[in-house]
Amino acid sequence: MSTSSPSGPLVTVERVHTARAVAAELGIDLLVLTPGSDLRYLCGYDAHAMERLTALAVPRRGEPFLVVPRLEAPMVDASPAGGLDLEVLAWDETDDPFALLAATATARLGTAPTRVAVGARTWAEHALGVQRALTGSALELAAPVVDRLRMVKTPAEVAELAAAGAAIDRVHARMGEWLRVGRTEAQVGADIAAAILAEGHVGVDFTIVGSGPNGASPHHELSDRVVEAGDLVVVDIGGETATGYRSDCTRTYAVGREPGADVREWYAVLQEAQAAATAAVRPGVTAEQVDAAARDVITAAGWGEQFIHRTGHGIGLDTHEAPYIVAGNALPLTPGMAFSVEPGIYLAGRCGARIEDIVVCTDDGVVSVNEGPRELVVLAG
């Protein structure tokens, strides 16, 4: 796994130290992060989630440490975490790793931690094991700490997102090879998945091919429905790169023949809404204002009830992460925040359309990592 980009290293020891400082600022005594994107973000260890406890423990005072099964300790050394000088506490099969974590954290703090924050996707058996070992502790989510760090991408992370975006653009550019009348969504999806890997990803996160009435379901699963002439087809695809960063891009296609004037009319509204939301992105603008920029255009044209989801979500080591571009989120944007802008219009029982780009807030505005055409692309049958 590569851990660097043309813009510099992706994982440095400063990330863990910054997390400790933020936790202390918020009055959190101990962060406990188990396998998942938070652990990978802070120390570079892409650990396998299983019943054996692996955890990065970050006390508000004292040095952070990793608790890992002894059989996996060599994997830590081989990962970016091995170069961060983190203490690794390896436990044997007959040991109690929760007791080891609790005793070590208590010794470093000088007292038993009471406010303990765990990752949002920590397995329940691990969270409860930590709580049992730290009698009197109260568990809470680590999101206020880790999201604050992860929301603002470094130049190296932006470079990774740009590379992922360019790779998924290349897949969309080839859609005419696979999306044709007479083929099933599942057949098209299989070809797209192969292309996602061929164009530079190491994993396929999702392939949504919503044809005809299935396009009105934003998270439609691939089916055996056959693509028909005149169908609108929503294609939402994404994958993971070698460094763990994600792509996510949606385009809508008309297959077999030109769409009618009515479709052209409301699709133009959607295109205007997506452009308006993207143009609204700049430092100081709130997440909900970006959502409103798209929603107001669609609502004014009479399609507001057909826009049934938020305008966007953050992206990085997870496809969906903070910040969320949705009404009620008054978070001001800052340079380095990366997220999708993806309004949609969905006509139940008939069809749907969505346009999605990943954008990055810059010092003076916005850049998009996706460059493919946003107009309704007509593919020959």
Side-chain angles (χ1 to χ4, degrees):
M1 179 182 70
S2 170
T3 60
S4 63
S5 77
S7 300
L10 288 173
V11 180
T12 65
V13 73
E14 283 75 20
R15 281 188 179 175
V16 180
H17 293 160
T18 301
R20 179 176 59 191
V22 174
E25 175 191 329
L26 297 177
I28 294 170
D29 298 316
L30 179 66
L31 291 176
V32 179
L33 301 173
T34 53
S37 57
D38 286 340
L39 177 65
R40 187 174 187 179
Y41 176 83
L42 285 180
C43 72
Y45 183 35
D46 187 18
H48 176 63
M50 59 178 178
E51 74 284 357
R52 296 183 177 95
L53 179 69
T54 292
L56 171 66
V58 185
R60 65 186 298 181
R61 292 189 301 274
E63 291 302 308
F65 57 95
L66 271 166
V67 174
V68 300
R70 188 173 300 281
L71 77 166
E72 294 198 345
M75 298 166 63
V76 178
D77 292 337
S79 77
L84 300 185
D85 295 324
L86 290 172
E87 183 178 3
V88 177
L89 304 182
W91 59 274
D92 293 308
E93 296 282 21
T94 55
D95 293 337
D96 181 347
F98 300 102
L100 175 63
L101 185 153
T104 306
T106 298
R108 298 197 177 178
L109 284 165
T111 185
T114 55
R115 288 186 62 191
V116 179
V118 299
R121 296 180 178 88
T122 300
W123 284 12
E125 65 179 300
H126 293 157
L128 293 173
V130 170
Q131 189 171 45
R132 282 193 298 267
L134 290 167
T135 305
S137 64
L139 293 189
E140 56 192 274
L141 293 179
V145 176
V146 291
D147 284 0
R148 189 157 133 187
L149 275 61
R150 290 179 58 178
M151 277 194 293
V152 180
K153 269 58 180 179
T154 64
E157 290 180 286
V158 171
E160 293 298 327
L161 289 172
I168 212 69
D169 282 352
R170 292 194 294 271
V171 179
H172 272 293
R174 296 177 57 191
M175 203 57 58
E177 299 177 28
W178 319 299
L179 183 51
R180 297 191 299 274
V181 172
R183 305 198 74 209
T184 67
E185 294 172 351
Q187 289 172 328
V188 175
D191 288 335
I192 291 172
I196 288 173
L197 299 176
E199 293 294 350
H201 297 76
V202 299
V204 178
D205 284 337
F206 54 91
T207 55
I208 295 172
V209 180
S211 64
N214 291 339
S217 175
H219 284 174
H220 171 69
E221 298 285 343
L222 295 174
S223 76
D224 290 330
R225 184 185 184 276
V226 175
V227 177
E228 300 176 1
D231 275 351
L232 288 188
V233 183
V234 179
V235 179
D236 184 354
I237 54 177
E240 177 185 359
T241 67
T243 53
Y245 286 80
R246 310 287 166 150
S247 63
D248 185 3
C249 183
T250 308
R251 295 293 185 260
T252 302
Y253 301 89
V255 182
R257 64 171 179 259
E258 288 283 339
D262 60 331
V263 172
R264 287 286 188 188
E265 181 179 351
W266 61 257
Y267 187 88
V269 171
L270 178 61
Q271 196 172 352
E272 179 186 352
Q274 206 262 351
T278 301
V281 176
R282 62 183 181 278
V285 170
T286 65
E288 64 182 353
Q289 286 174 321
V290 176
D291 179 84
R295 201 166 302 278
D296 289 351
V297 171
I298 293 174
T299 300
W303 299 100
E305 292 186 3
Q306 283 70 46
F307 181 12
I308 58 177
H309 55 70
R310 66 194 174 204
T311 293
H313 56 81
I315 190 169
L317 291 175
D318 287 318
T319 305
H320 286 194
E321 60 183 52
Y324 294 98
I325 311 304
V326 64
N329 186 0
L331 178 74
L333 303 181
T334 62
M337 287 184 175
F339 49 87
S340 67
V341 175
E342 51 174 309
I345 294 176
Y346 307 96
L347 309 182
R350 180 182 167 194
C351 62
R354 183 165 64 255
I355 307 169
E356 177 185 18
D357 293 324
I358 301 303
V359 305
V360 182
C361 182
T362 65
D363 289 334
D364 56 3
V366 62
V367 296
S368 174
V369 306
N370 298 110
E371 298 298 338
R374 297 167 185 91
E375 64 268 16
L376 187 59
V377 175
V378 180
L379 300 176

